[in-house]
C-alpha cells in the first residue's frame, strides 16, 4: 500500500486515537532496521516485526467495541465460496445466483506478495454499499452492514475476511506440503498496534487467530478451485 495512503489513513486515525510515533514511523517505512521474528503456532507461521533499534516487537490488540474503524473504512470484501452460500441464505436468497447478481461484484486488482511479486487477483466481493460499482473497488467506505452501535448486522455470518483483519495470509508450497504464513496488514486504519519488549502479550491472540487463519486459507483455496476466485503471478 502506498505510503501516502497510509499517512492519510493515520491522519484520520489520529483524530480519535493516539498513535505511537514509533508505530507511525514504522508504517511509513521510516524505520528500516526491522527483523522478521518467526513463531509457529499450531499450523500457522506468524511473522512479527521486531524493531532492532528499539529492541521492541510490533504487537496488536483489538479495541472493539470502542473502535470499528476497519468497518468504517472498508476497502474490499472478497468472499469465499462458503461465504457466498451462507451469507446468501442468511440474507433470504434461496438461489445463490440471485445473491450473486444483486449483492456482489466481481473485481480484479493487483497486489504485491510479501516477496515483492505482482499478483493479479480476481474475486467475488460483497457490496459495501447497495449501489457499489467497479469504480468503488479498493476505495475506503463505511460498510452498509455496520449499525449505529458499531455492531455488524451480518454477525456471526459476516465474510470470513472480516474475521481475519488485521492479519494477512499467504501460502507456501514446500516439498509438496502447504505452509500457511501470516503477518499484519499495516494500512494505517487500526489503532490497535503498539510496541512491546516481550512477545508474550500477543501469544493468546496468535493462538486464537491460528485457527481462524488456517481455516480461512483452506476456504480460500477451495474458493479458487471452485473458480470463484483466481490469482495470477506476473
Ligand atoms: S480497526 Fe483494529 S482495533 Fe479497530 S475494530 Fe478493527 S481490528 Fe479492532
Ligand atoms: S460485513 Fe460486518 S464485519 Fe465486515 S466490514 Fe461490514 S460491518 Fe464490518
Amino acid at each position: 500500500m502506498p505510503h501516502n495512503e497510509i499517512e492519510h489513513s493515520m491522519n484520520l486515525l489520529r483524530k480519535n486515537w493516539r498513535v505511537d510515533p514509533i508505530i507511525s514511523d514504522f508504517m511509513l517505512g521510516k524505520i528500516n532496521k526491522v527483523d522478521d521474528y518467526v513463531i509457529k503456532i499450531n499450523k500457522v507461521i506468524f511473522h512479527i516485526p521486531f524493531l532492532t533499534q528499539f529492541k521492541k516487537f510490533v504487537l496488536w490488540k483489538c479495541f472493539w467495541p470502542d473502535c470499528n474503524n476497519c468497518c468504517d473504512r472498508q476497502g474490499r470484501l472478497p468472499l469465499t465460496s462458503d461465504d457466498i452460500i451462507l451469507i446468501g441464505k442468511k440474507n433470504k436468497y434461496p438461489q445463490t445466483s440471485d445473491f450473486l447478481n444483486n449483492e456482489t461484484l466481481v473485481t480484479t486488482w493487483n497486489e504485491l506478495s510479501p516477496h515483492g511479486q505482482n499478483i493479479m487477483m480476481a474475486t467475488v466481493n460483497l457490496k459495501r454499499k447497495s449501489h457499489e460499482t467497479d469504480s468503488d473497488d479498493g476505495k475506503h467506505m463505511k460498510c452498509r452492514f455496520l449499525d449505529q452501535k458499531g455492531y455488524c448486522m451480518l454477525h456471526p455470518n459476516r465474510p470470513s475476511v472480516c474475521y481475519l483483519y488485521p492479519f494477512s495470509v499467504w501460502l507456501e508450497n514446500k516439498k509438496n506440503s502447504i505452509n500457511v504464513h501470516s503477518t499484519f496488514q499495516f494500512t494505517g486504519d487500526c489503532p490497535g498496534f503498539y510496541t512491546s519488549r516481550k512477545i508474550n502479550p500477543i501469544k493468546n491472540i496468535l493462538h486464537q487467530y491460528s485457527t481462524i487463519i488456517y481455516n480461512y486459507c483452506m476456504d480460500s483455496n477451495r474458493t479458487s478451485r471452485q473458480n470463484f476466485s483466481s490469482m495470477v503471478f506476473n
Side-chain angles (χ1 to χ4, degrees), residues 95-113:
Q95 302 296 330
T96 301
S97 53
D98 290 338
F99 169 70
L100 288 171
N101 285 336
N102 293 333
E103 307 286 351
T104 70
L105 283 173
V106 177
T107 60
T108 57
W109 78 96
N110 287 302
E111 197 169 281
L112 272 188
S113 80

Side-chain angles (χ1 to χ4, degrees), residues 81-93:
S81 47
D82 286 359
D83 290 336
I84 290 170
I85 292 163
L86 190 64
I87 298 174
K89 292 254 182 310
K90 292 287 175 185
N91 282 278
K92 314 276 184 277
Y93 282 99

Side-chain angles (χ1 to χ4, degrees), residues 71 74 77 143 145-146 152 154 158-159 162:
C71 305
Q74 239 304 322
L77 287 173
C143 176
F145 300 109
L146 179 65
C152 173
L154 295 180
R158 50 188 166 138
C162 299

Side-chain angles (χ1 to χ4, degrees), residues 55-95:
K55 295 190 172 57
K56 284 182 168 181
F57 294 97
V58 176
L59 304 185
W60 167 82
K61 63 184 172 195
C62 186
F63 289 120
W64 189 89
D66 296 319
C67 171
N68 45 56
N69 222 27
C70 44
C71 305
D72 214 19
R73 286 182 43 75
Q74 239 304 322
R76 184 182 292 118
L77 287 173
L79 299 175
T80 65
S81 47
D82 286 359
D83 290 336
I84 290 170
I85 292 163
L86 190 64
I87 298 174
K89 292 254 182 310
K90 292 287 175 185
N91 282 278
K92 314 276 184 277
Y93 282 99
Q95 302 296 330

Side-chain angles (χ1 to χ4, degrees), residues 115-129:
H115 308 296
Q117 271 175 294
N118 193 33
I119 312 172
M120 197 179 87
M121 309 280 298
T123 52
V124 175
N125 302 330
L126 185 61
K127 290 181 187 171
R128 296 156 298 151
K129 62 179 182 183

